[in-house]
């Protein structure tokens, strides 16, 4: 399989051509983030968009999303502070991490955050005692097996437990609803069908028990443009709309959606430099070593799960198979060995390899100095 070559926006190209900062770095065009936000509001008009800050918490991204009217899904006090500093109001924040220190809930409540997600009775007790009267979102388990980056196992309670927690939350005087996550980089637009059916069933059972669930959080999962194509956003909008219709008919609950990857991935390019091209054995592919690896932002290449599109300054000539690795003295620092990447035969030390659609889940995954290499540099235009 050859890698696709897709041009970044003119502004990103212009930056790469004119500025040439030392590699490796990520450059993000925040106008693209704003465009993606507007496209999503059009595709899912009934849902309030809570940007999953963990995907890229850069102040420039957050300020731009505040300006276009986004709300925010936060995972920690530090992300709360970043949103508030960017101009968001506390009422637009949802504390979506289901594993929170008691003192972090207290901090969130003290600055005015009123929405919390839980997936266990113990966590519900914590939220109700530290932030009484808050809106409670109960996360139900969904395996999301068709996603490139599944978010299974660690999160979510069973439907039975979810119904019980909704009853408990209602009895405590809280507004309540359900969330799920279909898995990140979910390339199956029909993946919302099954969990929404489950949620409708949980709502029925919870209502039988006296609960008054009022909202559904559709989670994340919308894709970035990586090597394997995903459906268009319009196709996701249509599929999710149908799934909602099938599950709730004309009794549609309030809706939230928590995109991370979709809003920021395609807004960024990671530029790296070839440090070494070596042949280890005549019958093995070339090894291409970049100055950026798994420990410098490309953590999602773990198990070769996220397969980025690559672009080089040698594109156009003949290509051949490669294994691609980062620069550190750790044999885990391999990006791709099995995913059948091909790069130009002419590629050599000093050449540039652009890792496309790298605006999500890169900058904050970078180590602080493994092997003495600085954290991944970031530029925002
Ligand atoms: C609670 C929660 N919401 C939303 C997201 C964003 O998911 P995605 O980047 O697939 O849109 C994540 C990602 O891990 C998450 O944990």
């Amino acid at each position: 399989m050859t890698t696709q070559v897709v041009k970044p926006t003119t502004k990103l190209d212009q930056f790469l051509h004119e500025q040439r900062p030392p590699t490796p770095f990520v450059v993000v065009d925040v106008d693209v983030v704003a465009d993606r936000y507007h496209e999503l509001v059009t595709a899912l008009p009934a849902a309030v968009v809570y940007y999953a800050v963990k995907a890229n918490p850069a102040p420039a991204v957050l300020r731009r999303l505040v300006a276009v009217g986004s709300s925010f899904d936060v995972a920690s006090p530090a992300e709360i502070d970043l949103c508030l500093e960017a101009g968001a109001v506390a009422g637009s924040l949802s504390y979506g991490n289901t594993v929170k220190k008691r003192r972090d809930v207290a901090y969130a409540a003290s600055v005015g955050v009123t929405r919390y997600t839980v997936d266990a009775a113990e966590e519900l007790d914590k939220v109700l005692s530290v932030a009484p009267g808050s809106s409670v979102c109960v996360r139900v388990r969904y395996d999301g097996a068709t996603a490139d980056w599944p978010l299974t196992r660690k999160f979510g309670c069973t439907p039975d437990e979810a119904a019980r927690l909704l009853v408990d939350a209602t009895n405590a005087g809280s507004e309540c609803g359900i969330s799920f996550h279909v898995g990140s980089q979910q390339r199956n637009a029909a993946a919302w069908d099954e969990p929404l059916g489950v949620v409708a069933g949980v709502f029925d059972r919870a209502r039988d028990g006296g609960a008054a669930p009022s909202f559904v959080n559709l989670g994340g999962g919308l894709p970035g443009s990586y090597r394997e194509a995903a459906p268009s956003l319009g196709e996701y909008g249509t599929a999710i709309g149908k799934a909602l219709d099938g599950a709730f008919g004309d009794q549609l609950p309030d809706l939230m959606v928590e995109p991370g990857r979709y809003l920021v991935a395609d807004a960024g390019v990671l530029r790296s430099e070839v440090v070494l091209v070596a042949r280890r054995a005549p019958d093995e592919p070339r090894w291409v070593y970049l100055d950026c690896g798994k420990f410098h932002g490309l953590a999602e290449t773990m198990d070769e799960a996220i397969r980025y599109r690559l672009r080089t300054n040698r594109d156009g000539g003949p290509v051949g198979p490669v294994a691609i690795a980062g620069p550190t003295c750790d044999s885990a620092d391999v990006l791709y060995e099995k995913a059948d990447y091909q790069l130009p035969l002419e590629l050599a030390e000093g050449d540039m390899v652009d890792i496309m659609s790298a605006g999500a889940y890169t900058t904050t995954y970078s180590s602080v100095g493994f092997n003495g290499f600085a954290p991944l540099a970031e530029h925002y235009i």
Side-chain angles (χ1 to χ4, degrees):
M1 183 185 293
T2 51
T3 52
Q4 268 176 281
V5 179
V6 177
K7 286 193 166 61
T9 68
T10 312
K11 267 202 291 168
L12 287 173
D13 263 343
Q14 207 177 334
F15 178 93
L16 291 169
H17 184 67
E18 289 171 4
Q19 306 285 325
R20 298 176 180 271
T23 61
F25 62 86
V26 167
V27 55
V28 173
D29 178 353
V30 295
D31 283 347
V32 175
V33 179
D35 290 347
R36 288 287 194 271
Y37 174 86
H38 292 305
E39 284 160 16
L40 183 53
V41 169
T42 306
L44 282 175
V48 178
V49 176
Y50 285 73
Y51 168 58
V53 173
K54 59 180 78 80
N56 187 326
V61 169
L62 299 181
R63 282 195 300 268
R64 193 56 190 269
L65 284 169
V66 169
V68 295
S70 186
S71 295
F72 298 89
D73 162 57
V74 295
S76 64
E79 287 192 352
I80 292 172
D81 289 347
L82 282 169
C83 290
L84 297 178
E85 282 157 20
V89 293
S92 70
L93 308 187
S94 164
Y95 201 154
N97 190 344
T98 54
V99 185
K100 301 173 281 301
K101 286 182 178 169
R102 191 170 288 270
R103 60 178 174 274
D104 292 348
V105 178
Y107 175 74
S110 76
V111 298
V113 175
T114 57
R115 305 188 79 97
Y116 298 86
T117 303
V118 304
D119 63 2
E122 295 78 1
E123 191 73 9
L124 177 63
D125 288 346
K126 194 189 290 176
V127 166
L128 292 178
S129 64
V130 183
S134 297
S135 171
V136 171
C137 182
V138 177
R139 181 161 171 176
V140 75
R141 187 186 304 165
Y142 177 64
D143 93 352
T146 54
D148 288 344
W149 192 259
L151 296 165
T152 51
R153 220 164 46 79
K154 185 175 164 187
F155 307 105
C157 54
T158 62
D160 284 347
E161 175 74 345
R164 277 195 293 276
L165 296 182
L166 290 176
V167 173
D168 292 348
T170 302
N171 288 340
S174 282
E175 173 195 80
C176 61
I178 293 272
S179 71
F180 58 88
H181 199 300
V182 294
S184 200
Q185 189 65 12
Q186 174 55 264
R187 289 186 286 122
N188 175 13
W192 281 259
D193 288 2
E194 189 186 325
L196 280 170
V198 170
V199 171
V202 171
F203 273 22
D204 286 344
R205 254 173 292 162
R207 286 193 182 109
D208 290 345
S214 61
F215 66 88
V216 174
N217 179 338
L218 300 164
L222 299 170
S225 304
Y226 303 125
R227 195 179 70 174
E228 282 82 21
S232 69
L233 184 67
E235 289 171 283
Y236 282 91
T238 305
I240 293 171
K242 271 195 199 139
L244 285 164
D245 211 29
F248 299 104
D250 56 5
Q251 307 287 304
L252 197 63
D254 293 339
L255 295 175
M256 301 164 65
V257 63
E258 282 177 353
R261 195 180 298 279
Y262 178 76
L263 291 184
V264 288
D266 293 352
V269 174
L270 191 160
R271 172 153 283 186
S272 69
E273 184 184 318
V274 177
V275 182
L276 174 71
V277 180
R279 274 213 181 268
R280 300 295 174 206
D283 54 345
E284 283 182 15
R286 291 164 296 156
W287 279 82
V288 173
Y289 297 90
L290 305 177
D291 62 358
C292 184
K294 237 181 204 140
F295 301 108
H296 298 92
L298 297 172
E300 289 199 324
T301 58
M302 197 189 302
D303 298 328
E304 312 197 13
I306 296 296
R307 292 173 294 279
Y308 294 98
R309 288 177 287 114
L310 305 181
R311 180 179 73 167
T312 82
N313 56 311
R314 303 277 184 185
D315 285 352
V319 298
V322 285
I324 307 173
T328 63
C329 303
D330 191 312
S331 58
D333 192 9
V334 174
L335 306 180
Y336 302 114
E337 214 179 340
K338 304 187 189 102
D340 192 20
Y341 271 83
Q342 309 249 341
L343 285 175
L345 297 175
E346 277 187 13
L347 198 72
E349 177 190 349
D351 282 340
M352 297 297 162
V353 175
D354 288 339
I355 292 151
M356 312 302 286
S357 297
Y361 302 113
T362 48
T363 56
T364 48
Y365 264 139
S366 182
S367 82
V368 297
F370 186 50
N371 276 215
F373 295 116
L376 185 61
E378 306 167 50
H379 304 276
Y380 293 86
I381 53 174

